[in-house]
Amino acid sequence: WQYAPATKTTQNGQNVYKATIVRDSTYDGPIQVKAIDNASTSGASKNLESAATEAYLLVDKTPPTCISSGGSSAWINASSNPGTLTLTGTCSDANSGCVGNVSKTYSTDISSTTETPGTVYDKVGNSTVCPKNQTVRIDKTKPNVSVSASSQNSSFHTNTANVSVGQSDNLSGVTQMCILLGNSNVNSCNWKNYTSSAQAMSTGRSYDGGSVTYYAWTKDAAGNISDVKSTSYSVYKQCSSTYISGYGGWSGCSASC
């Protein structure tokens, strides 16, 4: 037996005694209850007990369980539709029952493999944080790009240029690049794996002193494309027909004649 002090109240003209029973574990079943008076404190030889009566007791000390779902390793970019990802925590509770499931929606830049949809509760207040095991990858920010062109010869501007593309990205990382000659339309790109190494690019010109423009873009792993950047390059002009093999060019070759 567990003894607990009782408090006397009145309900509908009747004396009612209430006692709080403390139980530290989950219980769902019948209990026996009896009342004991306080005769010994008023001179009687002993306290008197009533007959036992049966009641039903529900105690829920067990937190609910939760299963996390909805994560994905696929990147969401600025063009994705929808541009959000929603995680769901599915609650389960065999005792008092769940208040409900929980969800969390992501829409801004993040790269994480330890996300949780939140906390679930049962109907008596026990709670559980849903597992932090979901992957969320959102990158809606364009990468950056820079481009420069230089000659393949230190003495004069050849008609094939070395074109270098620089990049930076805040999250998913640059994976591809595109360089076009005289064309600023990104839809014309034939994307290639990114490299910082200079690319040998034809100018499409003879040694006529003409100038060309190279346009460059980068693309990150999420699929975001940078704004276009450009650089100009001028081919030297052949001012003489005499070719000097040791020099690697034409005699008198310069930016202009």
Side-chain angles (χ1 to χ4, degrees), residues 45-201:
S45 60
K46 64 178 181 179
N47 294 337
L48 299 177
E49 298 183 358
S50 69
T53 186
E54 193 168 89
Y56 202 87
L57 178 66
L58 291 172
V59 177
D60 184 359
K61 294 284 188 176
T62 305
T65 59
C66 180
I67 297 175
S68 299
S69 62
S72 175
S73 60
W75 283 100
I76 293 174
N77 62 32
S79 301
S80 299
N81 185 18
T84 60
L85 184 70
T86 299
L87 302 184
T88 299
T90 303
C91 181
S92 178
D93 189 85
N95 299 298
S96 60
C98 292
V99 173
N101 298 327
V102 67
S103 64
K104 183 177 181 180
T105 298
Y106 296 79
S107 61
T108 57
D109 286 6
I110 182 176
S111 179
S112 173
T113 58
T114 57
E115 293 304 298
T116 173
T119 302
V120 293
Y121 297 86
D122 65 19
K123 292 179 180 178
V124 296
N126 299 307
S127 64
T128 295
V129 177
C130 298
K132 299 178 180 181
N133 60 4
Q134 296 299 292
T135 297
V136 181
R137 290 181 173 176
I138 300 176
D139 181 358
K140 296 183 178 182
T141 304
K142 294 179 182 179
N144 297 310
V145 64
S146 61
V147 60
S148 61
S150 61
S151 176
Q152 292 187 324
N153 189 293
S154 61
S155 299
F156 67 98
H157 283 194
T158 54
N159 61 358
T160 297
N162 285 334
V163 182
S164 299
V165 175
Q167 58 82 23
S168 64
D169 187 75
N170 73 319
L171 197 57
S172 61
V174 167
T175 57
Q176 294 180 291
M177 69 180 189
C178 171
I179 307 170
L180 294 178
L181 171 62
N183 184 350
S184 61
N185 185 355
V186 69
N187 294 322
S188 300
C189 279
N190 180 20
W191 293 97
K192 298 180 179 180
N193 290 337
Y194 177 79
T195 175
S196 59
S197 301
Q199 305 296 295
M201 299 285 296

Side-chain angles (χ1 to χ4, degrees), residues 208-220:
D208 58 1
S211 179
V212 297
T213 301
Y214 293 102
Y215 298 89
W217 299 261
T218 55
K219 183 189 291 188
D220 63 24

